[in-house]
C-alpha cells in the first residue's frame, strides 16, 4: 500500500511532536505543522531520515555543540531559523 502525501505529512508531524525530548518537540513540532507542506520531495525524504536521528544528537546540532552532518546542514539551518521566528527559505 502506497502512503499518500497527506498521510505521509501527518505521520511526520506526529513524529515531530512526539520525539521523547521536549526540547525537540518544541522545535520540530511547529516546524512540521507549518513548513512540511512547502518542502520539495528531496527535502521531505531528508526530513523523514532526520526524524530517525537521536534527539540528543539533534539538539546538539541545533545549539552548535557538535557539527551538524553535512547531509543535514541546510535542513537544520532552516529548522533553526524557523525556531527563532525567522522566515524559512527553501
Amino acid at each position: 500500500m502506497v502512503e499518500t502525501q497527506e498521510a505521509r505529512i501527518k505521520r511526520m508531524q506526529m513524529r515531530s511532536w512526539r520525539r521523547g525530548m521536549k526540547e525537540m518537540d518544541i522545535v520540530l513540532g511547529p516546524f512540521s505543522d507549518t513548513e512540511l507542506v512547502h518542502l520539495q520531495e528531496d527535502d521531505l525524504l531528508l526530513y523523514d531520515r532526520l526524524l530517525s536521528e537521536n534527539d540528543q544528537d539533534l539538539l546538539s546540532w541545533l545549539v552548535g555543540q557538535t557539527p551538524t552532518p553535512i547531509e543535514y546542514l541546510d535542513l537544520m539551518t532552516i529548522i533553526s531559523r524557523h525556531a527563532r521566528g525567522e522566515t524559512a527559505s527553501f
Side-chain angles (χ1 to χ4, degrees):
M1 186 169 167
V2 176
E3 185 177 41
T4 66
Q5 185 74 351
E6 181 181 353
R8 178 184 188 196
I9 288 177
K10 284 183 180 184
R11 173 182 54 78
M12 287 192 279
Q13 287 172 325
M14 171 94 69
R15 290 183 66 205
S16 297
W17 277 105
R18 291 177 175 82
R19 297 294 307 162
M21 182 182 274
K22 191 64 173 174
E23 293 87 348
M24 292 314 302
D25 294 349
I26 292 169
V27 171
L28 295 179
F31 177 82
S32 70
D33 285 349
T34 61
E35 304 304 324
L36 290 185
V37 295
H38 302 293
L39 295 180
Q40 298 297 317
E41 178 62 22
D42 289 346
D43 292 326
L44 282 173
L45 289 170
L46 186 62
Y47 187 81
D48 208 6
R49 282 200 315 264
L50 182 83
L51 291 174
S52 297
E53 297 289 344
N54 180 292
D55 277 352
Q56 292 175 337
D57 291 337
L58 291 174
L59 184 59
S60 179
W61 302 338
L62 191 66
V63 299
Q65 285 181 326
T66 57
T68 302
I70 194 70
E71 67 201 78
Y72 295 127
L73 186 56
D74 291 342
L75 181 57
M76 286 299 290
T77 299
I78 292 167
I79 291 169
S80 177
R81 286 180 180 155
H82 183 273
R84 291 191 310 262
E86 297 174 14
T87 303
S89 58
F90 299 104

